[in-house]
């Protein structure tokens, strides 16, 4: 007889922690903090099930990947069926129905200029593939274009190419000698509610456009890589489609390949299926991962236009795109992605995205004037709240740990980036569950004002 997740035998979570500390190295976690790791026995819907019997409301989609709730039965059943048929095969020289179907379906919903799908296994590799495609595009034609433009504050992954086009900060300091040079330009962030007036904002945007145009006119730029509309790890910084469209227009005028890193923004997070759908001018390459499988299995996609592929269409073996991964187009991952698309494209899911977006907007209006709020911003179902502190806004703002601990104590998973709290929930979250999160955020803000 199977045992339900709510009736599991009692677990010695201290034993789990001890064993974990001896054997495991966790990401983005100081080794001295390994004792803070929370043992989980499972998850269902929007909740993570702790070993001590408590349930945690997942308000960040488990690092932005989960779209349809944990242990989704529809996706799980599709994976189980595929596991009994074909679990994996080398993708160099072979193909299979799940990969073909997924590629066809992605091409139906991606911008119309996109025509080919290249598989990898995570977000970092998806962006690595995109940059390699772009650089070799010029190399295959015998054209020397070896520079790339990226935004300050960017995050595109933790592999070396991805780090190179990301913000040079504390996270990457040990590797700076090994990263290639990049032309960084300021991110044209929307004006903050309280700290940046419209005149200053206009000046910053004009400077960004001027700097971008100057670089483009050099004739040396191979590609422009960007996170469309939202810079995730920078603290959910947001820009308008209009300013991004201007930059893309300049890039197109100067034959610069545009690489949209939609690893975080893809699959409905910005209110449309892809953030690029908000812009009139479309990228040449789009990188996808995270929500691609609904948060169940690792999978990456780099999609491109026919033009990007054109210099590779040759009998010259040396112009082949020599890139691949052992688990490229894993059938289980492709099946999970197809199942996730079934759910994502359903009327009920699209209505849920609109509902969450409207709910966030209502809460933002309610809380915007709170004295503890420095800024509040929203794009689609992504809501970010910048808390006023004595230190500057930063990933390393000391309030981060106390914020994280506060919400975890109240059974909510929010992983603040410094003094920035953000919401990116699964689409199945209910209005009642959203209100629980909103109320706890407001409770915290009130406590911060009382303790001043």
């Amino acid at each position: 007889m199977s045992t339900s997740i709510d009736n599991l035998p009692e677990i010695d979570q201290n034993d789990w922690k001890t064993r974990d500390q001896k054997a495991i190295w966790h990401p983005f976690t100081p080794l001295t903090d390994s004792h803070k790791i929370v043992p989980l026995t499972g998850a269902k819907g929007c909740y993570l099930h702790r070993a001590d019997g408590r349930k945690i409301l997942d308000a960040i989609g488990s690092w932005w990947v989960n779209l349809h709730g944990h242990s989704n039965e529809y996706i799980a059943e599709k994976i189980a069926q595929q596991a009994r048929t074909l679990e994996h095969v080398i993708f160099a020289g072979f193909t299979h129905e799940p990969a073909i179907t997924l590629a066809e379906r992605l091409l139906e919903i991606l911008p119309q200029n996109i025509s080919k799908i290249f598989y990898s296994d995570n977000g970092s590799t998806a962006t690595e593939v995109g940059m390699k495609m772009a650089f070799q595009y010029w190399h295959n034609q015998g054209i020397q274009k070896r520079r790339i433009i990226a935004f300050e504050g960017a995050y595109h992954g933790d592999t070396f190419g991805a780090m190179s086009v990301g913000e040079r900060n504390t996270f990457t300091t040990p590797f700076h000698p090994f990263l290639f040079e990049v032309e960084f330009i300021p991110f044209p962030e929307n004006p903050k509610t309280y700290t940046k007036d419209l005149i200053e904002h206009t000046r910053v945007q004009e400077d960004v456009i001027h700097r971008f145009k100057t670089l483009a006119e050099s004739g040396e730029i191979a590609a422009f890589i960007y996170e469309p509309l939202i810079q995730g790890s920078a603290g959910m910084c947001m820009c308008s489609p209009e300013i991004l469209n201007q930059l893309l227009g300049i890039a197109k005028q100067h034959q610069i390949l545009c690489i949209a890193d939609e690893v975080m923004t893809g699959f409905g997070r910005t209110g449309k299926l892809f953030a690029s759908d908000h812009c009139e001018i479309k990228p040449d390459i789009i990188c996808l991962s995270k929500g691609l499988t609904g948060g169940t299995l690792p999978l990456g996609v780099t999609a491109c236009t026919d033009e990007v592929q054109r210099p590779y269409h040759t009998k010259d073996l040396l112009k082949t795109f020599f890139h691949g991964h052992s688990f490229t187009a894993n059938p289980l991952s492709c099946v999970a992605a197809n199942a996730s698309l079934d759910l994502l494209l359903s009327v009920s899911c699209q209505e849920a995205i609109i509902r969450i977006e409207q709910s966030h907007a209502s809460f933002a209006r309610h809380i915007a004037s709170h004295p503890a709020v420095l800024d509040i911003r929203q794009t689609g179902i992504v809501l970010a709240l910048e808390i006023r502190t004595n230190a500057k806004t930063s990933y390393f703002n000391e309030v981060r740990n106390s914020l994280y601990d506060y919400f975890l104590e109240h059974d909510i998973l929010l992983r603040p980036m410094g003094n920035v709290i953000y919401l990116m929930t699964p689409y199945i979250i209910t209005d009642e569950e959203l209100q629980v999160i909103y109320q706890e955020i407001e409770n915290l803000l009130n406590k911060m004002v009382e303790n001043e």
Side-chain angles (χ1 to χ4, degrees):
M1 177 182 291
S2 63
T3 304
S4 73
I5 198 167
D6 293 318
N7 296 307
L8 289 170
E10 186 174 344
I11 292 169
D12 185 348
Q13 59 177 328
N14 289 327
D15 177 58
W16 278 23
K17 287 185 177 182
T18 300
R19 291 164 57 195
D20 179 281
Q21 290 179 56
K22 287 183 178 179
I24 297 176
W25 194 342
H26 289 266
F28 290 91
T29 305
L31 291 176
T32 53
D33 286 349
S34 59
H35 64 284
K36 297 181 180 179
I37 297 298
V38 178
L40 299 178
T41 58
K44 188 67 178 176
C46 289
Y47 293 91
L48 308 173
H49 296 248
R50 295 177 54 147
D52 61 7
R54 293 164 62 184
K55 296 180 181 179
I56 301 171
L57 181 55
D58 185 354
I60 61 168
S62 285
W63 240 348
W64 322 343
V65 302
N66 193 287
L67 303 187
H68 312 296
H70 294 278
S71 303
N72 183 280
E73 293 183 8
Y74 180 77
I75 299 176
E77 181 56 31
K78 294 293 185 180
I79 294 172
Q81 292 173 10
Q82 182 61 42
R84 291 188 287 267
T85 304
L86 174 64
E87 83 298 347
H88 187 64
V89 66
I90 180 176
F91 207 59
F94 293 93
T95 192
H96 47 77
E97 191 276 337
I100 297 170
T101 296
L102 177 57
E104 291 173 340
R105 296 184 71 189
L106 287 173
L107 293 176
E108 287 177 357
I109 61 175
L110 283 164
Q112 291 185 352
N113 64 324
I114 299 297
S115 59
K116 280 290 194 293
I117 299 295
F118 188 98
Y119 289 110
S120 59
D121 51 15
N122 62 61
S124 290
T125 55
T127 58
E128 292 276 342
V129 168
M131 287 186 286
K132 289 179 68 175
M133 278 182 180
F135 283 127
Q136 191 174 339
Y137 168 87
W138 297 111
H139 174 83
N140 281 5
Q141 299 176 77
I143 300 173
Q144 288 197 6
K145 287 194 174 186
R146 297 174 178 172
R147 297 164 69 190
I148 191 167
I149 299 175
F151 282 131
E152 295 173 359
Y155 175 79
H156 297 287
D158 294 325
T159 49
F160 273 85
M163 281 194 295
S164 292
V165 293
E167 175 75 7
R168 306 295 169 92
N169 54 25
T170 303
F171 291 106
T172 59
T173 297
F175 316 109
H176 287 177
F178 314 107
L179 306 181
F180 60 76
E181 292 185 8
V182 173
E183 299 291 348
F184 288 103
I185 62 173
F187 181 70
E189 187 175 3
N190 292 337
K192 293 184 178 180
T193 309
Y194 303 105
T195 62
K196 189 183 294 183
D197 61 33
L198 290 177
I199 295 177
E200 172 67 10
H201 173 63
T202 300
R203 186 192 65 78
V204 170
Q205 288 203 340
E206 289 174 349
D207 287 348
V208 170
I209 294 170
H210 175 73
R211 174 65 175 152
F212 191 91
K213 188 174 182 180
T214 300
L215 288 169
E217 290 174 346
S218 72
E220 299 175 355
I221 304 300
F224 166 44
I225 186 168
Y226 60 98
E227 297 162 271
L229 303 192
I230 307 175
Q231 281 194 316
S233 294
M236 299 300 166
C237 298
M238 301 178 184
C239 73
S240 70
E242 291 76 19
I243 181 65
L244 183 56
N245 216 49
Q246 288 186 60
L247 297 177
L248 293 173
I250 295 170
K252 296 289 186 178
Q253 290 171 14
H254 295 85
Q255 292 76 52
I256 295 171
L257 295 180
C258 299
I259 306 172
D261 177 355
E262 295 236 23
V263 169
M264 183 272 282
T265 56
F267 304 104
R269 294 304 196 187
T270 64
K272 293 182 181 288
L273 285 176
F274 301 100
S276 296
D277 293 338
H278 292 272
C279 294
E280 179 183 348
I281 300 176
K282 308 305 180 185
D284 305 287
I285 297 171
I286 297 181
C287 309
L288 305 171
S289 190
K290 289 196 181 292
L292 177 57
T293 68
T296 55
L297 288 170
L299 183 64
V301 156
T302 306
C304 69
T305 63
D306 279 334
E307 173 56 29
V308 171
Q309 274 213 328
R310 182 182 55 77
Y312 296 88
H313 278 287
T314 171
K315 293 183 179 180
D316 184 350
L317 180 63
L318 297 182
K319 292 185 177 180
T320 301
F321 188 53
F322 291 112
H323 186 101
H325 301 269
S326 299
F327 284 91
T328 294
N330 174 259
L332 301 179
S333 296
C334 290
V335 160
N338 278 316
S340 179
L341 283 180
D342 290 343
L343 299 174
L344 176 67
L345 299 176
S346 69
V347 172
S348 60
C349 186
Q350 292 301 305
E351 289 177 344
I353 291 172
I354 295 171
R355 172 179 57 83
I356 296 169
E357 185 173 359
Q358 293 174 343
S359 181
H360 283 353
S362 176
F363 176 64
R365 289 191 295 271
H366 167 71
I367 206 72
S369 60
H370 195 286
V373 175
L374 179 62
D375 184 48
I376 193 161
R377 46 191 178 266
Q378 179 190 4
T379 298
I381 64 96
V382 181
L383 178 69
L385 188 151
E386 195 169 326
I387 292 179
R388 191 184 300 277
T389 70
N390 294 325
K392 69 176 183 178
T393 294
S394 164
Y395 191 100
F396 297 100
N397 188 300
E398 62 184 15
V399 77
R400 185 267 175 199
N401 288 339
S402 61
L403 293 176
Y404 177 77
D405 292 342
Y406 174 87
F407 288 110
L408 204 56
E409 288 169 4
H410 290 81
D411 297 325
I412 299 172
L413 174 58
L414 285 172
R415 191 177 172 89
M417 290 179 282
N419 57 313
V420 176
I421 296 171
Y422 68 90
L423 301 181
M424 200 182 301
T425 66
Y427 299 147
I428 64 165
I429 195 166
T430 66
D431 290 336
E432 292 74 21
E433 289 164 339
L434 284 171
Q435 290 303 318
V436 168
I437 299 170
Y438 298 153
Q439 186 59 59
E440 209 53 69
I441 290 175
E442 189 167 3
N443 290 344
L444 169 71
L445 296 175
N446 291 338
K447 290 179 186 292
M448 294 183 74
V449 172
E450 291 169 5
N451 293 333
E452 285 185 348

